[in-house]
Amino acid sequence: MDLQDVQALVKDYSATLSTQFQRLPGSAIIVRYIKNSYQNDPIRSAIELILFLFALKYLLSPSYSMQRGGQVELTDEEIDEQIEDWQPEPLVAELTEEEQHELERRPTIVGPTGPKVKLSNGRTVTNLASNNVFNFIGNDLLKERAIATLRYYGVGACGPPGFYGTKDVDMKAEADIANFIGVPDCIIYSQAFSTISSVIPAFSKRGDIIVADKSVNYAIRKGIEISRSTVYWYEHNNLEDLERVLADVEKTQKRKKKLTRRFIVTEGLFEKSGDIVDLPKIVELKYKYKFRLILDETWSFLTLGRTGRGLTEHLNVDPNEIDMIVGSLANSMCTGGGFCCGSKEIVDHQRISGAAYVFSAALPAIISTTISEIVGIMKANPEMLIALRENISIFRAAVEKSDGILECVSDIANPVVMIRVKPDYLREKGLEDGEDRLLQDIVDEVQAGGFLITRVKTVGNSQSEKKAKVVNGKVKKDSDEGHFMPCLKVYITVAHGKKDLERAGALVRSSATKVLGRKK
Amino acid sequence: MPDTKGRRRRSSSLIYLEPPESLEQRSDQAALPNLNANWVNSKGAWSIHIVIIICFKIFYDTVPGVSQETSWTLTNISYMAGSYLMFHWVQGIPFEFNAGAYDNLNMWEQMDNGDQYTPTKKFLLAVPIALFLLSTHYTHYDLTYFTVNCLAVLAVVIPKLPSTHRMRFGLFSSQDD
């Protein structure tokens, strides 16, 4: 083929192409646009062309995911192999030796509970192991009132408080508690455990800061975990350490512009160790470092203070200085549920964002009226607390003798008396391991003598719990959970006679000597 | 102690990459659909861009004393500024559905779970480029207008590139964020 032929062919082709192009709708606009845009400025045209080509390239690129390490592709054989290899764990793990031992020794109460209970083995023992501090369980007035309420209101609301669940008596119970403690408002949750674990995440979110005591109870721990906040732990009841942590937080916050909510979380009366916090000092620190204070009064509500208003009354702190006071109605109150009280804003916020309030059924009316009744009883009979303190000191005096091997570690006002074997004595005897077993022996010995007591049994101590904490071969650390003091626990109530308590104390002491004496 | 690795940036660097989320954070992200970013894929979310641009143009045309060139440039700048603010400046989600697990990501990064070159992302990249080409054309290629428009379009195109995904620039943020 000649060169002319080729030229002619190309000419021919380009002519058809251009006529075809001109036939396209809108081609005139494009031609005009390109002619216009050139404008004797190659650089600008180049920029536009590059941008256009880039857009074209972007539009034609295939999409892909940015999630790295997402799914692993497995062949059918590999899937089969995995299924073959999989050994399902039993739903309920086999009991360990300790668990079996504990289960065998667990007493069963037959019939109603009270200061004296009947056990399944037919014996009647004095009950020093339930939290019936003012014997409200045996109160006939409360029973009558509860029956009357039941006849009028029925059993339960079967709906959340924001959704048919709220009754007039519920609102009265809330007002009664707020009035009793001396704060503007109060909200009642339906479960004691989920109160604090709902209050914390209602206020503290991801990125916020919580400074908490290392030995707070399990419910608080769960609340902190759910809230996704940044947690700083301070040594148990060590306010110097708290101040150090607060100062540290403030220093790092100052350098950042972003402000976050900041909370101090502590128990008033500690569940694990039975001691109380120096509330005036914490309030002072909270103002100094601009933190909010969430105080868990689960164990101190009704048992501390001149009239049972809790730790604030006990240490003469204005309850309005504490941002959120959380308490349980299921402990000394012998009813059910929990409460959080504080300013009106604090309470109103929880009515739409406290998960346990929004999503669980309201308390039955029986409980609400009983709460109101009990608040009335507490207000009218402050002498009950004097009697309680007296009982506590009688018992403690009977247990603790200067040359004895036992010591009470709980606060003198705490009706849950926690008794441990003196560490020096244990070390001397070489009995530091298996202390739980020894304490169980003491409990059994005391029970044989006619008194029901118990010992510290904490969630997180059992083998299965320990196993659950190991995630991906690493031990999950949310704080140092080492504060499980093996202790005997004795619940003193006003319903016990002085003689009984003296005998019980002496029995605990002699049983301990007997059990420990048996070892070597 | 809080988890400090990952969120801490080197004191001297201006650029830092948002680290990948922890397992806990990812499970929070997946807890509920991301209502903040999902709507971009729904009906009408594409056409509203065109409608808004036309509205801007009509609005600037009605202002007395504004020439065609200025009107196009203002339309271009307003759209670019608005989309920059919406897709690249504001971080997190206004709703309390994912326990704050999206707090460190802007809307562009939340869209389609961070996947690249998805149809919506392609459309949202094509719109500003087309608008830019249009406005330079109608400003009759005046150098000043061209420069302004070009800078505006670069400001929204660069953060959309896959290579700048989760990238942060900071002049004075030497501390951990």
Side-chain angles (χ1 to χ4, degrees):
Chain A
M1 218 185 331
D2 275 345
L3 192 69
Q4 279 95 351
D5 289 344
V6 176
Q7 269 181 340
L9 208 68
V10 168
K11 238 182 190 169
D12 202 37
Y13 270 132
S14 51
T16 7
L17 233 130
S18 82
T19 38
Q20 288 293 330
F21 180 71
Q22 273 156 15
R23 268 194 211 144
L24 273 175
S27 60
I29 301 173
I30 295 174
V31 172
R32 200 173 65 224
Y33 176 84
I34 293 172
K35 271 185 189 157
N36 253 331
S37 53
Y38 181 60
Q39 300 243 335
N40 245 342
D41 195 340
I43 295 172
R44 196 174 53 218
S45 298
I47 292 177
E48 287 191 12
L49 189 67
I50 288 168
L51 205 58
F52 177 74
L53 290 177
F54 163 74
L56 211 62
K57 181 190 163 277
Y58 192 96
L59 292 183
L60 295 177
S61 301
S63 72
Y64 66 87
S65 167
M66 290 298 270
Q67 313 280 337
R68 256 158 288 161
Q71 278 124 353
V72 182
E73 292 285 328
L74 290 176
T75 62
D76 283 350
E77 289 101 70
E78 280 171 322
I79 293 170
D80 286 341
E81 207 175 298
Q82 296 261 326
I83 294 170
E84 290 279 307
D85 286 351
W86 186 61
Q87 286 295 333
E89 273 186 31
L91 281 178
V92 180
E94 287 223 358
L95 293 179
T96 62
E97 204 189 327
E98 285 118 66
E99 285 166 338
Q100 187 66 43
H101 175 79
E102 200 194 309
L103 196 66
E104 280 162 12
R105 309 281 190 96
R106 190 167 289 177
T108 313
I109 291 172
V110 183
T113 179
K116 295 258 182 203
V117 290
K118 202 170 163 205
L119 296 184
S120 54
N121 59 13
R123 295 193 55 199
T124 301
V125 291
T126 304
N127 184 4
L128 289 173
S130 50
N131 203 13
N132 181 19
V133 180
F134 301 105
N135 196 19
F136 290 136
I137 287 177
N139 191 317
D140 289 328
L141 177 83
L142 292 177
K143 271 182 209 161
E144 268 167 41
R145 186 81 168 88
I147 291 167
T149 312
L150 183 65
R151 298 232 185 279
Y152 186 75
Y153 285 92
V155 180
C158 298
F163 212 82
Y164 320 130
T166 308
K167 300 168 285 294
D168 51 353
V169 284
D170 297 348
M171 288 157 80
K172 183 171 182 299
E174 284 176 353
D176 284 341
I177 291 175
N179 177 270
F180 180 57
I181 292 183
V183 288
D185 211 349
C186 172
I187 177 171
I188 291 182
Y189 286 78
S190 304
Q191 296 91 22
F193 184 89
S194 51
T195 307
I196 184 92
S197 35
S198 176
V199 170
I200 295 175
F203 292 100
S204 186
K205 311 281 180 188
R206 195 187 293 276
D208 295 337
I209 287 169
I210 290 178
V211 177
D213 193 298
K214 264 189 183 166
S215 79
V216 290
N217 63 36
Y218 192 65
I220 299 180
R221 226 169 258 284
K222 285 290 132 188
I224 293 174
E225 203 176 300
I226 297 167
S227 76
R228 268 81 165 147
S229 314
T230 313
V231 201
Y232 298 84
W233 302 96
Y234 66 92
E235 293 299 328
H236 171 58
N237 233 345
N238 182 344
L239 296 193
E240 273 157 36
D241 196 44
L242 170 63
E243 179 152 19
R244 178 190 65 78
V245 174
L246 296 184
D248 220 38
V249 169
E250 201 191 32
K251 216 167 86 192
T252 42
Q253 289 254 299
K254 237 176 205 166
R255 277 178 285 170
K256 286 186 271 178
K257 282 147 218 143
K258 216 173 113 192
L259 269 177
T260 60
R261 288 162 288 228
R262 302 182 290 188
F263 299 89
I264 301 172
V265 179
T266 181
E267 277 183 272
L269 179 60
F270 281 89
E271 181 181 324
K272 285 186 190 169
S273 49
D275 48 354
I276 62 174
V277 293
D278 184 1
L279 197 57
K281 177 73 181 161
I282 286 195
V283 169
E284 186 196 316
L285 288 177
K286 141 197 140 99
Y287 281 121
K288 186 172 169 196
Y289 292 101
K290 300 190 177 66
F291 272 72
R292 290 192 179 88
L293 176 59
I294 302 179
L295 181 68
D296 185 2
E297 292 237 47
T298 298
W299 294 94
S300 49
F301 182 59
L302 292 196
T303 57
L304 291 188
R306 197 179 56 80
T307 56
R309 285 174 166 85
L311 189 69
T312 47
E313 191 189 28
H314 192 70
L315 295 175
N316 295 318
V317 178
D318 179 4
N320 292 297
E321 307 246 30
I322 291 145
D323 301 272
M324 293 138 225
I325 297 178
V326 179
S328 161
L329 301 168
N331 288 353
S332 316
M333 192 70 99
C334 296
T335 55
F339 68 87
C340 171
C341 58
S343 70
K344 203 162 160 28
E345 291 75 25
I346 292 281
V347 168
D348 281 349
H349 177 73
Q350 290 173 61
R351 294 202 195 274
I352 48 166
S353 59
Y357 182 82
V358 175
F359 298 110
S360 51
L363 278 179
I366 317 172
I367 289 186
S368 298
T369 51
T370 312
I371 291 167
S372 296
E373 284 293 314
I374 289 177
V375 169
I377 294 175
M378 292 306 294
K379 276 181 180 166
N381 305 296
E383 71 277 358
M384 281 198 307
L385 278 138
I386 299 170
L388 179 67
R389 305 269 153 75
E390 209 174 307
N391 279 359
I392 297 169
S393 62
I394 287 169
F395 179 78
R396 287 175 68 113
V399 171
E400 281 185 314
K401 288 275 149 72
S402 53
D403 58 335
I405 54 171
L406 297 178
E407 60 181 353
C408 299
V409 286
S410 56
D411 191 79
I412 47 164
N414 188 358
V416 185
V417 181
M418 300 177 109
I419 307 161
R420 70 167 175 185
V421 184
K422 283 181 183 161
D424 294 348
Y425 181 82
L426 278 178
R427 211 170 302 129
E428 216 174 274
K429 282 244 178 184
L431 291 171
E432 277 146 318
D433 300 329
E435 211 183 334
D436 281 337
R437 201 71 175 251
L438 277 180
L439 292 177
Q440 186 58 49
D441 288 344
I442 298 175
V443 169
D444 293 341
E445 194 67 37
V446 174
Q447 194 188 314
F451 289 92
L452 195 60
I453 65 168
T454 185
R455 65 186 174 88
V456 173
K457 295 170 186 172
T458 353
V459 181
N461 258 357
S462 72
Q463 288 299 316
S464 53
E465 272 281 325
K466 272 178 198 149
K467 213 153 83 194
K469 286 220 170 356
V470 182
V471 179
N472 297 337
K474 277 187 284 182
V475 178
K476 216 177 138 200
K477 251 182 17 190
D478 48 359
S479 84
D480 128 38
E481 296 206 18
H483 214 86
F484 293 125
M485 216 185 334
C487 275
L488 293 173
K489 264 174 140 179
V490 181
Y491 291 74
I492 307 296
T493 78
V494 289
H496 296 119
K498 293 182 176 50
K499 285 269 158 55
D500 270 355
L501 290 171
E502 268 167 17
R503 267 183 49 217
L507 185 62
V508 169
R509 197 156 46 87
S510 61
S511 304
T513 320
K514 196 168 154 196
V515 168
L516 290 165
R518 234 185 274 153
K519 315 266 165 188
K520 280 188 282 181
Chain B
M1 286 307 283
D3 181 28
T4 46
K5 71 166 190 270
R7 289 288 299 160
R8 192 172 288 279
R9 60 175 76 171
R10 278 211 339 266
S11 57
S12 58
S13 80
L14 299 178
I15 300 173
Y16 108 117
L17 268 183
E18 194 62 42
E21 277 88 10
S22 63
L23 193 67
E24 187 195 45
Q25 224 162 337
R26 264 186 287 153
S27 76
D28 279 347
Q29 290 183 344
L32 278 168
N34 183 351
L35 298 185
N36 183 44
N38 280 356
W39 64 269
V40 291
N41 291 316
S42 53
K43 249 186 208 173
W46 286 23
S47 44
I48 197 69
H49 286 267
I50 314 294
V51 172
I52 286 173
I53 290 168
I54 293 170
C55 287
F56 270 134
K57 185 69 181 67
I58 293 170
F59 170 74
Y60 288 121
D61 280 344
T62 52
V63 178
V66 173
S67 67
Q68 269 303 305
E69 285 86 354
T70 322
S71 157
W72 270 108
T73 309
L74 283 174
T75 307
N76 190 41
I77 291 174
S78 316
Y79 175 77
M80 303 298 174
S83 80
Y84 183 83
L85 189 77
M86 183 163 154
F87 289 106
H88 306 296
W89 183 260
V90 178
Q91 297 185 352
I93 292 186
F95 321 110
E96 178 54 37
F97 288 155
N98 305 79
Y102 282 108
D103 279 0
N104 301 322
L105 295 183
N106 60 35
M107 188 159 156
W108 186 261
E109 289 154 355
Q110 291 172 27
M111 276 163 54
D112 304 316
N113 291 321
D115 294 357
Q116 297 297 338
Y117 299 119
T118 57
T120 312
K121 285 193 170 176
K122 285 178 178 172
F123 173 78
L124 290 176
L125 183 100
V127 169
I129 290 179
L131 178 63
F132 163 73
L133 292 178
L134 270 180
S135 44
T136 46
H137 178 76
Y138 285 108
T139 52
H140 304 297
Y141 305 96
D142 179 272
L143 189 63
T144 325
Y145 286 130
F146 177 83
T147 318
V148 171
N149 286 330
C150 189
L151 288 177
V153 77
L154 286 183
V156 296
V157 165
I158 290 171
K160 287 185 169 62
L161 300 179
S163 47
T164 54
H165 189 66
R166 303 169 81 98
M167 197 180 269
R168 303 278 179 270
F169 298 89
L171 263 184
F172 301 109
S173 50
S174 57
Q175 289 309 314
D176 64 304
D177 205 356

